[in-house]
């Protein structure tokens, strides 16, 4: 029995490595991944210019984890692991919101560190909707409407409650990866909407630091994550100019 299990393990390991490699090669030419990397670079830029030195180390760690979540999503999607890729996007949302909340609430952060405080997504979303820096702005501009919508959509992937997010195609099938181009497109849409919404939230909360000629490099790279309509709204409403680098 033990020798048989060992042989089965070796076969399984070789098969999944071979399939993952084949999927990566099949998906490599897609522009979705190049666009994704540019968007993730926007998270890095915000971490460097808006988070580092302004957030407490413990709350900044949530933002670093959010960036890591986005990279994990990218890598999973590059191999065709669609459901884990979507799950990581949901974690990215949670970690960005937690980062901001706990930076503004050091007492609650201390309680969190001792396991005595936790904010649900619903709690966090309500907090930001009522936030004095955001409450007078339209939810579409702050990203909060999209964040709520995307979180609900991604939760379906986490709980496998939507058929189009499932990895398996039949009751007896075991499918770790799929090089289905339509799945890549669906993942890319979710990732684009999530990162744009999170960037909008950070822009609205840090509007004074992004106006005029401030943080030129950050404003330029945000071009890759914030669409034309939202860029126009940021310029009109908040005097934040985001132009193509």
């Amino acid at each position: 029995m033990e020798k048989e299990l060992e042989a089965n393990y070796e076969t399984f390991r070789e098969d999944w490595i071979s399939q993952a490699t084949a999927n990566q090669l099949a998906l490599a030419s897609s522009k979705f991944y190049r666009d994704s990397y540019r968007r993730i670079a926007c998270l890095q830029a915000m971490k460097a210019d808006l988070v580092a030195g302004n957030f407490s180390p413990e709350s900044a760690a949530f933002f670093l984890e959010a960036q890591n979540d986005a990279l994990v999503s990218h890598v999973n999607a590059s191999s065709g692991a669609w459901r884990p890729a979507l799950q990581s996007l949901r974690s990215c949302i949670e970690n960005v919101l937690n980062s901001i909340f706990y930076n503004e609430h050091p007492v609650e952060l201390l309680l969190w560190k001792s396991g005595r405080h936790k904010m649900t997504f619903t709690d966090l979303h309500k907090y930001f909707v009522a936030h004095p820096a955001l409450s007078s702005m339209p939810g579409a501009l702050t990203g909060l409407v999209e964040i709520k919508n995307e979180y609900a959509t991604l939760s379906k992937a986490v709980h496998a409650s939507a058929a189009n997010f499932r990895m398996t195609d039949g009751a007896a099938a075991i499918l770790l990866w799929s090089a289905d181009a339509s799945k890549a497109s669906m993942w890319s849409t979710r990732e684009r909407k999530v990162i744009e919404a999170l960037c909008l939230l950070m822009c609205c909360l840090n509007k004074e630091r992004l106006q005029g000629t401030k943080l030129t490099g950050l404003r330029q790279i945000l071009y890759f994550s914030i669409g034309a309509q939202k860029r126009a709204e940021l310029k009109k409403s908040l005097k934040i100019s985001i132009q193509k680098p």
Side-chain angles (χ1 to χ4, degrees):
M1 174 69 75
E2 186 173 349
K3 289 183 178 180
E4 182 179 354
L5 288 172
E6 182 68 21
N8 289 343
Y9 162 71
E10 290 297 334
T11 299
F12 171 72
R13 186 177 66 85
E14 291 172 5
D15 285 349
W16 75 253
I17 291 174
S18 175
Q19 186 60 62
T21 302
N23 284 2
Q24 288 170 352
L25 291 173
L27 294 166
S29 62
S30 172
K31 72 179 187 67
F32 294 134
Y33 302 103
R34 290 188 291 274
D35 291 344
S36 165
Y37 189 82
R38 291 177 178 181
R39 290 190 288 265
I40 296 172
C42 296
L43 296 179
Q44 165 63 26
M46 288 194 298
K47 184 187 72 176
D49 289 341
L50 299 179
V51 176
N54 298 296
F55 283 32
S56 67
E58 293 87 354
S59 56
F62 281 102
F63 200 95
L64 177 59
E65 191 68 14
Q67 182 188 3
N68 189 70
D69 288 330
L71 287 167
V72 169
S73 178
H74 176 98
V75 171
N76 276 325
S78 298
S79 298
W82 308 116
R83 189 169 165 227
L86 296 170
Q87 291 169 334
S88 294
L89 280 180
R90 194 178 85 149
S91 294
C92 181
I93 293 174
E94 293 171 337
N95 277 312
V96 169
L97 298 187
N98 275 307
S99 177
I100 301 167
F101 175 83
Y102 283 118
N103 186 58
E104 297 180 352
H105 294 81
V107 173
E108 284 79 2
L109 178 58
L110 288 173
L111 292 171
W112 174 84
K113 289 173 67 176
S114 64
R116 292 182 290 162
H117 190 271
K118 182 177 180 178
M119 294 285 283
T120 67
F121 172 78
T122 300
D123 294 332
L124 288 164
H125 190 266
K126 287 181 179 178
Y127 170 77
F128 285 105
V129 168
H131 196 289
L134 303 171
S135 58
S136 63
M137 300 180 192
L141 179 61
T142 63
L144 290 171
V145 169
E146 202 69 73
I147 285 171
K148 183 177 182 180
N149 291 339
E150 286 303 310
Y151 193 85
T153 300
L154 294 168
S155 292
K156 295 178 181 178
V158 170
H159 301 296
S161 57
N164 59 333
F165 290 143
R166 290 175 182 160
M167 288 298 299
T168 51
D169 184 21
I174 299 297
L175 187 60
L176 302 180
W177 297 279
S178 166
D180 187 340
S182 67
K183 299 280 189 181
S185 178
M186 287 192 293
W187 164 78
S188 179
T189 298
R190 302 275 69 79
E191 194 227 31
R192 174 176 56 80
K193 288 179 176 290
V194 165
I195 294 183
E196 179 185 59
L198 294 174
C199 288
L200 286 171
L201 178 63
M202 290 292 288
C203 284
C204 290
L205 287 171
N206 295 275
K207 57 183 183 294
E208 293 86 359
R209 302 177 62 197
L210 293 165
Q211 292 168 341
T213 59
K214 300 173 185 175
L215 295 177
T216 300
L218 174 57
R219 288 185 293 104
Q220 287 180 334
I221 200 168
L222 286 172
Y223 175 87
F224 297 111
S225 63
I226 299 178
Q229 181 181 346
K230 292 297 190 296
R231 294 198 301 270
E233 292 176 20
L234 285 173
K235 186 172 183 178
K236 179 180 178 181
S237 301
L238 303 181
K239 304 297 188 291
I240 297 174
S241 179
I242 297 174
Q243 299 179 343
K244 187 175 182 179

